[in-house]
Amino acid sequence: MLLRPRLDDHLVIGKYTGKVIIGIALLMVIPLLTSVVFAEWDTVLDFAISIALCLIFGFGTQIACRTERDLSWSHGLVVASGSWIVATILGAMPHWLSGHEGSYLDAMFDVMSGYTTTGLYLLQDLDHISYGMNMWRHLLTYAGGQGIVVIALTFLFKGTAGAYKVYVGEGKDERLLPNVVQTARAIWLVSLTWLVIGTVAMSITGLLLGQEPVRAFLHGLWVYMGAWSTGGFAPQSYNTLYYHALSYEIVAIVVMIAGSFNFALHWAVWTGKRKEILRNVETVSFAITLSLTVLIATFALAKAGVYPDAMTLFRKAFYQLASGHTTTGFSTIYSRAFVTQWGPVGLIATTVAMAIGASACSTAGGIKGMRIGIIFKAFMQDIRRVISPERAVVSSKFHHIKDVYLDDGLVRTTMTITIAYLAMYGLNAIVGAFYGYDFLQAAFEGVSAASNTGLSCGVTSPTMPDVMKVLYIGSMWLGRLEFMSVFALGGYIVTILRGHK
């Protein structure tokens, strides 16, 4: 029998959701100050209004939902998923006020894309938006890569037992340190250290390409944010094709691959366990599947004679596939080139790379290398069981920070999430085809949205049907949170409507 939530349940959920939204308000201060520096007074007003709305909601729920009760598992999952929806609705306000969005739905699409580190966008006239708005777009994806709940955990949550429930609800399940708040701060320590290194490298590269210092710094910062968060937002409509520079591409590839790695792996390397890079199941899986997809795409492009020489061929193929596999979404070709030049084989190879994705507990999306590795290990274990004597005890393990033995529960959970991703990929493709798009292109775009990648073959645009916009928003949300916390939110709503007292 379903039991209807009590008042205390609503209060604790409201209280912690409010804390997350206060974190969003604090984040908006950075683009506001950016607009002040560049005297963009209309944008300053846009962010002032948006900050006020976030603070009214955040502190309003704090006042209305006073409770000393800590979060349970169900509360944490509901806060994690529900706060993303509220943060998207309120975070879309600066986009809508800017006048660069066709509707509030389009603004919400772009904000959800930023939070989930997807990189698809509907914003119009990107090349002429304000500095403040560009800063906000890239902050969205940078903060979203770490997790908007991680922001709140870092600055606004005390080290309560319930904080861990919210952390797990955002699609993370690894503690780098014993306390989850300390873990959140460790994630930021890693990210901010990379921020300095990556921004300096990008800025110097921009200066060498002839950019003026301020522009080189801002572009370096923004492209770094898009690469590290595997978010794919860029300050120009041509994405990283705009720079036409091998040096810029090399730095971007290094940062986006680093950003796609598990934060636990970063912390292991940070604390001296450098051999973990070579032993970890996710890095091994990533290296194998990236090599295979690059090889397939390169062969298809070479056969078609798309690029004039081997260097250009490898440069284009490796960059797009690395971008797709890390679920970054940076591109150095025009979006329609995936259709007109890469052809079906290149399109399928890129779709497979996006569908797999990179590491769990990272900024990346997709099924994840961890699950691919576990499925492969489980498959090989079953083969060994079949060919082994009846009394033989067959076990298998994989290495992720430590040796982990496979058990039926782990394999079942892995398969459940993998099937959920595949079902969502399929649904997006079918709906796209229903609205008249070529099935392969609809599949490419649907996988890009659900795996939080952001590469586009031209399907995503302000003129696409609203149903597809809503579907992609939901897919980005589900893919980023890995389903479970969203399912918990759905269950919570059902118990409110149909539960018994």
Side-chain angles (χ1 to χ4, degrees):
M1 181 176 69
L2 293 174
L3 295 178
R4 186 174 298 170
R6 297 177 300 174
L7 177 61
D8 269 1
D9 296 311
H10 300 314
L11 292 179
V12 72
I13 289 169
K15 174 184 174 180
Y16 285 94
T17 299
K19 286 180 179 289
V20 174
I21 301 307
I22 291 171
I24 300 300
L26 294 176
L27 198 65
M28 287 184 183
V29 172
I30 297 174
L32 184 146
L33 293 177
T34 303
S35 294
V36 169
V37 169
F38 290 99
E40 299 167 338
W41 304 117
D42 287 345
T43 307
V44 169
L45 182 60
D46 294 345
F47 279 104
I49 293 170
S50 304
I51 290 170
L53 290 173
C54 288
L55 291 177
I56 289 170
F57 180 92
F59 285 113
T61 53
Q62 298 286 287
I63 295 169
C65 301
R66 291 178 183 174
T67 179
E68 296 302 317
R69 185 178 176 185
D70 203 0
L71 290 157
S72 68
W73 276 110
S74 60
H75 294 149
L77 295 174
V78 171
V79 168
S81 54
S83 61
W84 277 64
I85 293 297
V86 178
T88 297
I89 294 170
L90 294 174
M93 185 59 66
H95 281 71
W96 186 63
L97 292 174
S98 73
H100 286 272
E101 301 283 3
S103 67
Y104 205 86
L105 178 62
D106 289 7
M108 289 176 59
F109 182 102
D110 283 14
V111 171
M112 182 62 84
S113 180
Y115 285 145
T116 58
T117 71
T118 302
L120 296 171
Y121 68 92
L122 302 177
L123 185 142
Q124 300 171 34
D125 197 18
L126 172 59
D127 295 327
H128 298 98
I129 64 173
S130 65
Y131 287 105
M133 179 53 64
N134 238 332
M135 182 65 79
W136 176 233
R137 293 177 69 245
H138 290 87
L139 269 177
L140 282 174
T141 194
Y142 183 65
Q146 281 49 254
I148 61 174
V149 167
V150 170
I151 297 173
L153 284 171
T154 306
F155 302 107
L156 302 172
F157 280 33
K158 296 178 181 179
T160 64
Y164 183 63
K165 280 82 168 180
V166 190
Y167 175 76
V168 171
E170 200 172 44
K172 297 179 173 64
D173 58 2
E174 302 196 50
R175 295 194 193 194
L176 312 185
L177 296 168
N179 182 288
V180 70
V181 174
Q182 293 173 344
T183 295
R185 290 171 181 163
I187 288 173
W188 276 106
L189 177 62
V190 171
S191 295
L192 292 174
T193 301
W194 269 96
L195 174 67
V196 174
I197 296 170
T199 302
V200 168
M202 289 284 190
S203 299
I204 291 173
T205 306
L207 286 170
L208 293 175
L209 293 176
Q211 290 183 328
E212 59 185 38
V214 173
R215 187 174 180 83
F217 169 73
L218 288 175
H219 278 235
L221 173 65
W222 292 335
V223 172
Y224 161 79
M225 286 180 172
W228 171 258
S229 66
T230 65
F233 278 161
Q236 302 291 151
S237 59
Y238 286 147
N239 205 270
T240 47
L241 174 63
Y242 171 80
Y243 303 101
H244 288 289
L246 179 61
S247 56
Y248 222 87
E249 293 167 24
I250 291 172
V251 177
I253 286 173
V254 170
V255 175
M256 66 191 184
I257 290 177
S260 74
F261 286 161
N262 193 305
F263 280 113
L265 176 60
H266 277 283
W267 193 250
V269 173
W270 188 289
T271 53
K273 302 174 183 176
R274 293 179 178 83
K275 290 184 179 179
E276 186 66 29
I277 294 177
L278 301 177
R279 299 182 61 200
N280 195 282
V281 65
E282 293 193 295
T283 54
V284 173
S285 171
F286 176 81
I288 293 171
T289 51
L290 176 61
S291 298
L292 288 174
T293 52
V294 169
L295 185 64
I296 292 168
T298 302
F299 177 78
L301 291 169
K303 188 175 181 181
V306 174
Y307 297 111
D309 55 76
M311 179 61 186
T312 303
L313 170 63
F314 179 77
R315 178 178 166 185
K316 294 293 185 182
F318 185 80
Y319 190 90
Q320 314 320 311
L321 267 298
S323 178
H325 209 318
T326 59
T327 72
T328 301
F330 278 164
S331 182
T332 55
I333 62 175
Y334 298 109
S335 59
R336 291 302 295 172
F338 279 114
V339 177
T340 60
Q341 294 182 340
W342 280 47
V345 175
L347 209 61
I348 291 171
T350 310
T351 303
V352 170
M354 293 190 297
I356 295 170
S359 297
C361 197
S362 70
T363 66
I367 293 169
K368 307 291 192 306
M370 174 84 76
R371 295 189 181 100
I372 298 299
I374 289 172
I375 291 170
F376 177 77
K377 289 281 186 178
F379 179 72
M380 296 305 296
Q381 179 178 266
D382 284 347
I383 291 176
R384 287 171 55 207
R385 281 177 179 164
V386 170
I387 64 176
S388 297
E390 204 172 304
R391 293 184 180 181
V393 177
V394 178
S395 63
S396 186
K397 63 183 179 180
F398 62 92
H399 185 81
H400 174 62
I401 310 303
K402 60 182 180 181
D403 287 339
V404 180
Y405 282 90
L406 284 182
D407 58 52
D408 290 342
L410 177 61
V411 175
R412 184 170 57 251
T413 301
T414 297
M415 289 302 300
T416 298
I417 300 299
T418 301
I419 291 170
Y421 271 109
L422 293 175
M424 190 164 61
Y425 295 157
L427 175 64
N428 288 350
I430 291 168
V431 172
F434 175 81
Y435 278 99
Y437 295 97
D438 174 80
F439 183 80
L440 194 55
Q441 295 175 39
F444 180 99
E445 209 82 3
V447 169
S448 183
S451 65
N452 307 133
T453 301
L455 287 175
S456 177
C457 63
V459 173
T460 299
S461 73
T463 59
M464 68 191 290
D466 285 349
V467 171
M468 289 184 65
K469 293 176 185 177
V470 173
L471 179 63
Y472 282 7
I473 289 172
S475 298
M476 291 186 281
W477 179 48
L478 281 160
R480 179 63 176 83
L481 299 183
E482 299 196 333
F483 301 97
M484 290 300 109
S485 62
V486 179
F487 292 163
L489 176 62
Y492 183 74
I493 293 170
V494 169
T495 58
I496 292 173
L497 297 175
R498 302 184 60 181
H500 298 278
K501 292 183 179 180

